[in-house]
mmCIF file of all heavy atoms in Angstrom:
data_model
loop_
_atom_site.group_PDB
_atom_site.id
_atom_site.type_symbol
_atom_site.label_atom_id
_atom_site.label_comp_id
_atom_site.label_asym_id
_atom_site.label_seq_id
_atom_site.Cartn_x
_atom_site.Cartn_y
_atom_site.Cartn_z
ATOM 1 N N LEU A 385 -31.781 -42.179 -135.422
ATOM 2 C CA LEU A 385 -31.314 -43.513 -135.866
ATOM 3 C C LEU A 385 -31.700 -44.584 -134.885
ATOM 4 O O LEU A 385 -32.063 -45.643 -135.267
ATOM 5 C CB LEU A 385 -29.806 -43.466 -136.092
ATOM 6 C CG LEU A 385 -29.212 -44.669 -136.828
ATOM 7 C CD1 LEU A 385 -29.795 -44.806 -138.212
ATOM 8 C CD2 LEU A 385 -27.713 -44.467 -136.908
ATOM 9 N N SER A 386 -31.511 -44.308 -133.623
ATOM 10 C CA SER A 386 -31.853 -45.253 -132.545
ATOM 11 C C SER A 386 -33.067 -44.787 -131.782
ATOM 12 O O SER A 386 -32.979 -43.790 -131.030
ATOM 13 C CB SER A 386 -30.645 -45.409 -131.611
ATOM 14 O OG SER A 386 -29.509 -45.900 -132.300
ATOM 15 N N GLN A 387 -34.158 -45.437 -131.947
ATOM 16 C CA GLN A 387 -35.375 -45.088 -131.198
ATOM 17 C C GLN A 387 -35.491 -45.836 -129.810
ATOM 18 O O GLN A 387 -36.231 -45.423 -128.977
ATOM 19 C CB GLN A 387 -36.600 -45.421 -132.009
ATOM 20 C CG GLN A 387 -36.726 -44.539 -133.270
ATOM 21 C CD GLN A 387 -36.924 -43.042 -132.906
ATOM 22 O OE1 GLN A 387 -37.611 -42.728 -131.977
ATOM 23 N NE2 GLN A 387 -36.320 -42.198 -133.749
ATOM 24 N N HIS A 388 -34.726 -46.846 -129.692
ATOM 25 C CA HIS A 388 -34.703 -47.645 -128.458
ATOM 26 C C HIS A 388 -33.243 -47.876 -128.018
ATOM 27 O O HIS A 388 -32.316 -47.704 -128.814
ATOM 28 C CB HIS A 388 -35.370 -49.002 -128.656
ATOM 29 C CG HIS A 388 -36.790 -48.857 -129.196
ATOM 30 N ND1 HIS A 388 -37.852 -48.453 -128.488
ATOM 31 C CD2 HIS A 388 -37.240 -49.108 -130.504
ATOM 32 C CE1 HIS A 388 -38.931 -48.428 -129.232
ATOM 33 N NE2 HIS A 388 -38.592 -48.829 -130.453
ATOM 34 N N VAL A 389 -33.081 -48.201 -126.728
ATOM 35 C CA VAL A 389 -31.737 -48.462 -126.283
ATOM 36 C C VAL A 389 -31.137 -49.673 -126.972
ATOM 37 O O VAL A 389 -31.728 -50.726 -127.036
ATOM 38 C CB VAL A 389 -31.755 -48.728 -124.714
ATOM 39 C CG1 VAL A 389 -30.376 -49.069 -124.195
ATOM 40 C CG2 VAL A 389 -32.300 -47.517 -124.008
ATOM 41 N N GLY A 390 -29.946 -49.451 -127.540
ATOM 42 C CA GLY A 390 -29.294 -50.471 -128.329
ATOM 43 C C GLY A 390 -28.446 -51.434 -127.479
ATOM 44 O O GLY A 390 -28.313 -51.278 -126.253
ATOM 45 N N PHE A 391 -27.865 -52.342 -128.118
ATOM 46 C CA PHE A 391 -26.937 -53.304 -127.529
ATOM 47 C C PHE A 391 -25.499 -52.873 -127.885
ATOM 48 O O PHE A 391 -25.253 -52.404 -129.014
ATOM 49 C CB PHE A 391 -27.179 -54.670 -128.107
ATOM 50 C CG PHE A 391 -26.603 -55.811 -127.332
ATOM 51 C CD1 PHE A 391 -27.235 -56.308 -126.251
ATOM 52 C CD2 PHE A 391 -25.349 -56.343 -127.660
ATOM 53 C CE1 PHE A 391 -26.700 -57.377 -125.497
ATOM 54 C CE2 PHE A 391 -24.822 -57.375 -126.927
ATOM 55 C CZ PHE A 391 -25.476 -57.885 -125.864
ATOM 56 N N PRO A 392 -24.557 -52.855 -126.943
ATOM 57 C CA PRO A 392 -24.550 -53.561 -125.661
ATOM 58 C C PRO A 392 -25.120 -52.824 -124.421
ATOM 59 O O PRO A 392 -25.139 -53.345 -123.334
ATOM 60 C CB PRO A 392 -23.114 -53.878 -125.462
ATOM 61 C CG PRO A 392 -22.375 -52.761 -126.082
ATOM 62 C CD PRO A 392 -23.217 -52.400 -127.278
ATOM 63 N N ALA A 393 -25.616 -51.581 -124.609
ATOM 64 C CA ALA A 393 -26.159 -50.902 -123.409
ATOM 65 C C ALA A 393 -27.293 -51.656 -122.782
ATOM 66 O O ALA A 393 -27.489 -51.577 -121.566
ATOM 67 C CB ALA A 393 -26.656 -49.483 -123.857
ATOM 68 N N SER A 394 -28.050 -52.397 -123.562
ATOM 69 C CA SER A 394 -29.191 -53.158 -123.019
ATOM 70 C C SER A 394 -28.790 -54.487 -122.332
ATOM 71 O O SER A 394 -29.623 -55.131 -121.748
ATOM 72 C CB SER A 394 -30.241 -53.479 -124.104
ATOM 73 O OG SER A 394 -29.618 -54.210 -125.158
ATOM 74 N N HIS A 395 -27.494 -54.808 -122.352
ATOM 75 C CA HIS A 395 -27.043 -56.005 -121.669
ATOM 76 C C HIS A 395 -27.194 -55.747 -120.126
ATOM 77 O O HIS A 395 -26.867 -54.668 -119.647
ATOM 78 C CB HIS A 395 -25.588 -56.276 -122.000
ATOM 79 C CG HIS A 395 -25.076 -57.581 -121.468
ATOM 80 N ND1 HIS A 395 -24.621 -57.718 -120.173
ATOM 81 C CD2 HIS A 395 -24.999 -58.795 -122.027
ATOM 82 C CE1 HIS A 395 -24.242 -58.985 -119.962
ATOM 83 N NE2 HIS A 395 -24.479 -59.643 -121.061
ATOM 84 N N PRO A 396 -27.645 -56.717 -119.360
ATOM 85 C CA PRO A 396 -27.951 -56.505 -117.962
ATOM 86 C C PRO A 396 -26.720 -56.143 -117.103
ATOM 87 O O PRO A 396 -26.922 -55.510 -116.022
ATOM 88 C CB PRO A 396 -28.537 -57.870 -117.478
ATOM 89 C CG PRO A 396 -28.125 -58.830 -118.552
ATOM 90 C CD PRO A 396 -28.023 -58.102 -119.833
#
Side-chain angles (χ1 to χ4, degrees):
L385 191 60
S386 300
Q387 293 296 324
H388 307 285
V389 176
F391 196 84
S394 59
H395 188 278

